[in-house]
Amino acid sequence: MSKPFDLHDYSDILDMPAPTFSHRRRMTMVERGAQFAPFAALTGYEAAVEEAARLTDRRAELSEDKKEEIDAKLRLVVSSESDGEITVTYFIPDVKKSGGAYRTRIGTALRVDEYESVLIMADGYRISLDAIREIEGDMFEDLEGES
């Protein structure tokens, strides 16, 4: 039967200095600590977990009535000579996963490019007509009053 570990068995060497070797320099405390620092065993794992946890919205399908309302507002924007400010809510698909996000942009509409199917804002920003969910602004008050 083996004898259990007993501190008294090593009492003669406990207070001795650590051995040193002439062919090796002594490590600094930082170098010694670095041996126990965490390391990334799975490179990219943390980024993958963050990406999986990132939430996206589903694109809402618009009713025919809502599509007609947006179309009427776009026609008013095109025919309007005023520089009225509008608020456009639109959907941007996510490039990495299914779904996307709804964004809102406030500004002045410059024109509608029917060939490319985009709404061009005065600052040059382009919004796909298919992505538009809502258009609001003072210029539409008469139009909404008719509904």
Side-chain angles (χ1 to χ4, degrees):
M1 189 161 143
S2 68
K3 187 175 174 183
F5 178 75
D6 189 3
L7 285 178
H8 299 291
D9 291 345
Y10 297 98
S11 60
D12 57 333
I13 63 169
L14 281 178
D15 295 323
M16 291 180 69
T20 57
F21 302 97
S22 60
H23 63 280
R24 273 185 207 211
R25 72 172 178 81
R26 189 169 178 94
M27 292 176 82
T28 65
M29 293 298 278
V30 172
E31 291 171 329
R32 291 179 66 191
Q35 295 181 63
F36 303 101
F39 66 100
L42 301 173
T43 305
Y45 177 75
E46 190 171 315
V49 169
E50 286 176 10
E51 177 61 29
R54 188 172 54 85
L55 298 176
T56 58
D57 294 325
R58 294 179 76 190
R59 186 176 188 159
E61 290 296 322
L62 299 178
S63 68
E64 288 302 317
D65 291 339
K66 188 65 176 177
K67 289 178 185 178
E68 289 174 13
E69 176 188 330
I70 291 172
D71 191 46
K73 288 180 177 181
L74 286 171
R75 281 193 304 275
L76 185 61
V77 166
V78 171
S79 65
S80 175
E81 304 237 344
S82 72
D83 293 332
E85 196 171 76
I86 61 171
T87 302
V88 182
T89 303
Y90 57 99
F91 185 80
I92 298 178
D94 195 293
V95 294
K96 294 185 178 182
K97 57 198 289 188
S98 65
Y102 280 98
R103 299 280 185 247
T104 300
R105 189 162 193 96
I106 300 172
T108 304
L110 186 62
R111 65 187 177 94
V112 174
D113 184 337
E114 293 182 21
Y115 180 72
E116 291 189 28
S117 189
V118 292
L119 172 64
I120 302 172
M121 303 296 282
D123 62 0
Y125 193 80
R126 302 163 78 85
I127 302 171
S128 171
L129 297 180
D130 295 334
I132 296 175
R133 179 180 177 182
E134 183 67 56
I135 301 178
E136 299 171 329
D138 293 339
M139 68 171 52
F140 306 122
E141 287 178 358
D142 293 338
L143 185 66
E144 291 170 357
E146 295 173 9
S147 306

